[in-house]
Amino acid sequence: MNWDLSEEQQAIRDAAAQVLGGERATWDELAKADLLGLCLPETDGGSGHGIFELGLILEEQGKAGVHLPILPTVLTAIAIATFGSDEQKQKWLPGVIAGDTVLTAVLDDQLQYAPYAEQADAFLLLHDGPGQLVSASAANVTALQTTSGESQGLVTKSADGEALQVDAAWLTERWMAGLCMLQAGLCDKALRLTAEYTTGREQFGKPVATFQAVAQRAADAYIDTEGVRLSAYQAAWRLSEGLPAANEVAVAKFWAADGGTRVMRAAQHLHGGIGMDTDYPLHTFTTWTKQIELTLGSATPSLVRLGKAIADEPI
């Protein structure tokens, strides 16, 4: 399987890395780099790219460890572009492209929470009957404390919004694939931090990275990181191409939850005590990885669902 990026995809990744990895990783800077409208249709003022290119941006966000509402805003905007009326597109999409509008969605039919709810200008609600697009003025938000420190809120509507008949499974698959791409970036950065630390840390006059046990643990973490990345790429690519991707998303969710957890355990182990310091960068990647694992549903349920799906396929 060849996952070499095209020149255009590499340019997108480079632009995302420059903005998100720089000193000014702000929402306005993302808009100025045309990264917020990148995956919206050209007819709506975007650049016409797909979920895979959005995934490349999310991967770089993971590497930078920067909390910004890229996934909820862009995916909700894509849902409006796909299922919304011309009036809804004209009302919401220009603001997203310009960086003036933050969108988010409530996907779960049990928990009415949404990422970046306090910052959102509108909410896509899929948990309460037909989909509705509710403006911030017609919703009540209660802030929630999260594992990673990411802004989230409990959302209840105070008035009905605009009907938006979004296919919930369609949006959820893309949301989960996006989280897996974000997880790939988090694992990549944690592994790089670990390599840097173990190379500079000395015991018995030698860098600890030269010790066999350390090298083997790091090698295992590298394999897991590649598993997270490649399975996420496969899922995002199939979604971009309009191909069935339920099984591929399930595989990516499993790797992101199971492999991501192993990567962070290895990183913490090889860092020793400093890995537990909340002021040290690794803390950000560890807590965010754990939150994504729990959001995806953890590894075992994903594996059970995948096994059932495979068993149910006709021979």
Side-chain angles (χ1 to χ4, degrees):
M1 185 179 297
N2 183 3
W3 283 120
D4 290 339
L5 302 180
S6 67
E7 289 186 10
E8 192 170 15
Q9 288 170 336
Q10 188 60 56
I12 291 169
R13 166 181 274 179
D14 292 344
Q18 183 176 3
V19 173
L20 293 166
E23 295 182 0
R24 296 183 59 197
T26 65
W27 197 242
D28 287 342
E29 290 300 313
L30 285 171
K32 289 177 183 177
D34 195 30
L35 293 173
L36 298 178
L38 190 79
C39 302
L40 294 175
E42 294 179 354
T43 54
D44 295 317
S47 300
H49 291 285
I51 296 299
F52 184 78
E53 285 75 21
L54 171 59
L56 294 177
I57 298 172
L58 294 171
E59 186 180 13
E60 293 304 319
Q61 181 184 12
K63 293 177 184 178
V66 177
H67 287 294
L68 287 171
I70 299 172
L71 176 61
T73 295
V74 176
L75 266 187
T76 304
I78 292 173
I80 294 172
T82 304
F83 299 98
S85 64
D86 289 340
E87 182 180 353
Q88 288 171 328
K89 295 176 187 178
Q90 293 167 7
K91 180 178 180 180
W92 297 108
L93 300 187
V96 170
I97 295 170
D100 299 327
T101 299
V102 172
L103 303 174
T104 190
V106 177
L107 301 179
D108 197 294
D109 59 1
Q110 301 295 324
L111 303 173
Q112 301 175 13
Y113 70 89
Y116 302 95
E118 290 185 289
Q119 293 80 23
D121 297 288
F123 307 90
L124 175 57
L125 305 182
L126 300 179
H127 68 283
D128 186 20
Q132 290 190 35
L133 195 58
V134 178
S135 65
S137 61
N140 299 314
V141 176
T142 303
L144 300 174
Q145 185 175 5
T146 64
T147 300
S148 70
E150 178 187 65
S151 173
Q152 292 199 10
L154 184 69
V155 181
T156 55
K157 63 181 181 181
S158 56
D160 287 338
E162 311 164 20
L164 186 63
Q165 300 294 334
V166 177
D167 184 326
W170 179 95
L171 184 58
T172 300
E173 272 192 349
R174 284 153 180 79
W175 199 292
M176 296 300 104
L179 287 176
C180 292
M181 292 290 280
L182 182 60
Q183 188 82 307
L186 293 167
C187 290
D188 181 277
K189 182 62 175 187
L191 189 62
R192 292 177 187 275
L193 285 172
T194 303
E196 181 181 352
Y197 178 78
T198 56
T199 300
R201 177 87 162 97
E202 291 191 356
Q203 283 285 357
F204 310 110
K206 295 181 179 181
V208 296
T210 63
F211 298 168
Q212 185 179 39
V214 172
Q216 288 174 337
R217 191 80 197 271
D220 287 341
Y222 172 78
I223 293 171
D224 279 328
T225 298
E226 286 298 285
V228 173
R229 184 177 70 87
L230 293 175
S231 60
Y233 273 35
Q234 173 77 338
W237 176 79
R238 289 185 67 88
L239 290 169
S240 279
E241 295 297 311
L243 298 171
N247 286 354
E248 286 75 14
V249 171
V251 171
K253 287 172 63 178
F254 169 76
W255 270 103
D258 197 53
T261 296
R262 285 197 300 269
V263 170
M264 293 304 160
R265 285 176 178 169
Q268 289 286 354
H269 184 192
L270 295 178
H271 270 84
I274 195 172
M276 301 301 295
D277 188 341
T278 57
D279 293 326
Y280 187 72
L282 184 61
H283 178 76
T284 296
F285 300 94
T286 301
T287 54
W288 205 349
T289 293
K290 175 55 69 174
Q291 181 168 312
I292 289 176
E293 176 197 348
L294 298 175
T295 302
L296 292 172
S298 75
T300 300
S302 294
L303 200 59
V304 169
R305 285 193 294 270
L306 178 61
K308 185 178 185 303
I310 294 173
D312 289 343
E313 290 180 356
I315 299 176

